[in-house]
Amino acid sequence: MMQLSTERCNEVVKKDGEVISQASRMPYYPLVVKRGYGAVIEDIDGNRYIDLLSSAAALNTGHAHPEVVKAVTEQVKDFVHYTTAYMYHQPLVELAGKLAEITPGDFKKRVTFGLSGSDANDGMIKLARVYTGRSKIISFVQAYHGSTYGAISLSALSLNMRRKIGPLVPEIHHIPYPDCYRCAFGQEEDTCHLECLKQLEIAFRHYLPAEEVAAVIMEPIAGDAGLIIPPRKYVDRLYGICKEKGILFVSEEVQQGFGRTGKWFGIEHFDVVPDAVIMGKSIASGMPLSAIVAREEIMQAWEAPAHLFTMGGHPVSCRAALATIDIIRNENLMQHVFELGEYVKARFNRMKEKYDLIGDVRGVGLSIGVDLVKDRVTREKAGEAAAKICYRCWEKGIILTFFAGSVLRIQPPLVITKEQMDKAIDIIQEAIGEYLAGDIPDAVLEVAKGW
Ligand SMILES: Cc1ncc(COP(=O)(O)O)c(C=O)c1O
């Protein structure tokens, strides 16, 4: 096994533990980043890793893409920032036009910018309420939408996030996400009659007046819930209900957007056109930026200053975002994502035939989850296995994490090569073998806590 030297990293991590709030960390291993290029990052001890995380799906174009670096540098030389609340700048206007162009829907759209996926979710709650004059919002059990009050209120993934901070934003109702691998209603895909969606119909019948619901905010693939892909018939039916009841259908694309799934936005894998799209993370290749893109009549319903941030629509981030769009187009990344994604799934599916530990392999494009289970029948999550395997992969030069307790998260930068991907998968396979042979000590569980 490769023996990592992490002396300098350990020192920084120790200091970090003395000064940084524990609320802001979900640790996996002591990696202190020094630099990155493409799908590779290097730590301050000089160790190199193939990155399968992309800074939590925020670096689709990879680390330090030369075009992004150029755009950012040029902008910083001109001016770093001037608030768009009072003044105007060109990158903002140009970017808004491009976002409207790539967002689904053949109608006029408008854009508002922020800094993080969380604030865009908050903004969407406000916008939906203003536009519809209705107060209630529907979100999903297991969803993660961020850390601001609105975003936490939309989320329903972690008790630690919600404990003791109440009251949360009221009138947000959670329905089950259609999780076909662990169906809460005991169905398999061929016996399913969308029992999960019937929960919404029951709610509408008994305690949740549909005419008071402003929006459904849904991830087209539930990311942090463990990469759950909803069946097409579910999305069709839910969308139909929204249209019938005058409820906005909002696609939350913070994690799945910007080419991650082989299309600009995850919702394009379904036959529905959202009224609004929430964006963040990879929009600006690692620079802070978020956006809501919505039908013009929706976006014009609220009045100034309903939603603005001093730093929102930052010109450096906007320039990075313009470069991001060009890179995804010019390097034909979505085709690459589609082809490589199918290849990666096939490799993990072959591994699944060998190891009962792998319960399910699912994903679209380069948003892939490998769900580890203690038992293929009960589908009980194998959390310790996930933590140990991720830790061992780090020791062998692969940045691998897990979410939803048991799901290995395969979301590399979209620029990753097939050779890098093959090497990473070979190492994951080795780590699985070593886990099964009992070669990964329990002590690593003290470090690899995960998500
Ligand atoms: C789907 C989704 N929405 C929103 C967020 C929050 O984004 P941010 O951390 O940029 O506020 C995240 C972050 O993980 C996310 O995955």
Side-chain angles (χ1 to χ4, degrees):
M1 190 190 87
M2 168 183 147
Q3 204 53 47
L4 277 185
S5 157
T6 57
E7 211 174 308
R8 289 191 185 143
C9 287
N10 292 344
E11 253 172 58
V12 174
V13 171
K14 185 165 172 288
K15 280 191 196 140
D16 178 289
E18 290 159 10
V19 293
I20 300 292
S21 168
Q22 64 178 13
S24 314
R25 287 226 172 277
M26 310 288 281
Y28 287 93
Y29 21 73
L31 194 160
V32 182
V33 182
K34 172 145 190 209
R35 61 168 72 90
Y37 30 89
V40 173
I41 59 175
E42 206 179 295
D43 72 16
I44 57 171
D45 286 293
N47 301 300
R48 291 204 188 121
Y49 308 86
I50 296 174
D51 184 7
L52 297 187
L53 179 61
S54 316
S55 182
L59 279 163
N60 285 1
T61 60
H63 298 273
H65 192 292
E67 293 301 320
V68 174
V69 174
K70 184 164 165 261
V72 166
T73 317
E74 281 175 3
Q75 183 57 45
V76 170
K77 281 186 190 152
D78 277 350
F79 70 101
V80 173
H81 184 54
Y82 205 100
T83 182
T84 56
Y86 304 128
M87 302 298 160
Y88 305 84
H89 65 76
Q90 283 175 322
L92 182 89
V93 178
E94 197 186 330
L95 178 61
K98 289 222 166 142
L99 291 179
E101 198 183 296
I102 62 173
T103 305
D106 196 12
F107 40 76
K108 187 140 181 13
K109 299 159 203 145
R110 281 187 186 244
V111 185
T112 181
F113 288 104
L115 296 126
S116 73
S118 304
D119 70 45
N121 274 280
D122 273 52
M124 193 63 234
I125 297 172
K126 294 189 287 181
L127 177 58
R129 286 178 171 177
V130 172
Y131 174 70
T132 59
R134 303 170 174 194
S135 61
K136 300 182 194 328
I137 306 282
I138 290 172
S139 174
F140 292 84
V141 180
Q142 285 181 282
Y144 179 69
H145 294 285
S147 248
T148 51
Y149 257 102
I152 284 183
S153 307
L154 280 177
S155 304
L157 183 64
S158 154
L159 286 177
N160 278 357
M161 285 192 80
R162 295 168 67 100
R163 238 182 221 126
K164 297 187 192 166
I165 62 162
L168 295 172
V169 175
E171 297 285 37
I172 295 179
H173 301 267
H174 296 89
I175 60 173
Y177 200 88
D179 181 350
C180 298
Y181 184 60
R182 289 192 182 80
C183 177
F185 305 91
Q187 303 297 325
E188 295 291 336
E189 241 174 307
D190 45 346
T191 57
C192 158
H193 292 99
L194 297 180
E195 281 73 9
C196 47
L197 196 51
K198 288 196 180 129
Q199 301 305 302
L200 181 62
E201 287 159 2
I202 291 169
F204 282 168
R205 209 171 315 127
H206 296 289
Y207 61 93
L208 190 64
E211 72 280 6
E212 292 180 18
V213 176
V216 169
I217 299 182
M218 180 181 188
E219 273 191 281
I221 295 171
D224 289 359
L227 274 172
I228 302 171
I229 304 168
R232 197 169 261 279
K233 62 182 176 184
Y234 179 96
V235 179
D236 283 349
R237 177 79 193 107
L238 176 62
Y239 185 76
I241 294 173
C242 287
K243 292 294 119 187
E244 191 188 305
K245 312 262 185 212
I247 298 169
L248 300 181
F249 181 87
V250 179
S251 190
E252 209 278 38
E253 300 273 357
V254 172
Q255 188 177 129
Q256 307 302 333
F258 286 86
R260 167 76 35 210
T261 67
K263 298 201 183 253
W264 282 113
F265 297 101
I267 198 65
E268 292 174 71
H269 294 278
F270 301 89
D271 285 329
V272 303
V273 178
D275 298 297
V277 174
I278 301 173
M279 308 172 186
K281 289 195 190 266
S282 277
I283 183 174
S285 290
M287 295 297 294
L289 189 71
S290 67
I292 306 172
V293 181
R295 285 177 181 274
E296 175 164 70
E297 65 271 24
I298 298 172
M299 199 61 98
Q300 292 301 74
W302 55 2
E303 289 177 32
H307 194 65
L308 48 82
F309 304 93
T310 306
M311 296 289 176
H314 199 287
V316 181
S317 302
C318 287
R319 288 291 298 270
L322 287 164
T324 303
I325 294 172
D326 285 348
I327 293 163
I328 293 173
R329 276 192 177 133
N330 298 343
E331 296 186 13
N332 210 4
L333 283 185
M334 292 197 269
Q335 184 61 27
H336 174 65
V337 165
F338 173 73
E339 287 164 10
L340 192 57
E342 291 305 300
Y343 174 77
V344 171
K345 272 192 290 183
R347 275 211 64 184
F348 279 112
N349 273 319
R350 281 204 298 280
M351 240 189 264
K352 183 179 157 194
E353 287 168 16
K354 194 165 166 198
Y355 302 114
D356 284 350
L357 179 64
I358 299 181
D360 194 29
V361 176
R362 51 182 181 261
V364 183
L366 283 176
S367 208
I368 296 171
V370 179
D371 202 333
L372 304 184
V373 292
K374 290 187 183 165
D375 180 316
R376 278 201 178 163
V377 177
T378 64
R379 301 181 180 180
E380 189 185 341
K381 289 170 179 270
E384 283 193 7
K388 286 184 170 183
I389 289 164
C390 289
Y391 193 92
R392 179 52 54 89
C393 281
W394 164 70
E395 292 179 303
K396 289 168 175 277
I398 303 299
I399 300 305
L400 177 69
T401 58
F402 63 97
F403 45 23
S406 65
V407 183
L408 303 181
R409 175 177 191 172
I410 316 291
Q411 289 183 327
L414 311 184
V415 294
I416 193 167
T417 64
K418 182 162 175 288
E419 292 69 34
Q420 288 170 321
M421 205 61 238
D422 267 328
K423 185 171 172 200
I425 298 172
D426 289 346
I427 290 176
I428 294 173
Q429 182 154 6
E430 269 174 38
I432 290 176
E434 288 166 25
Y435 166 75
L436 292 172
D439 283 347
I440 310 179
D442 286 348
V444 311
L445 299 173
E446 293 302 310
V447 183
K449 304 262 186 245
W451 190 202

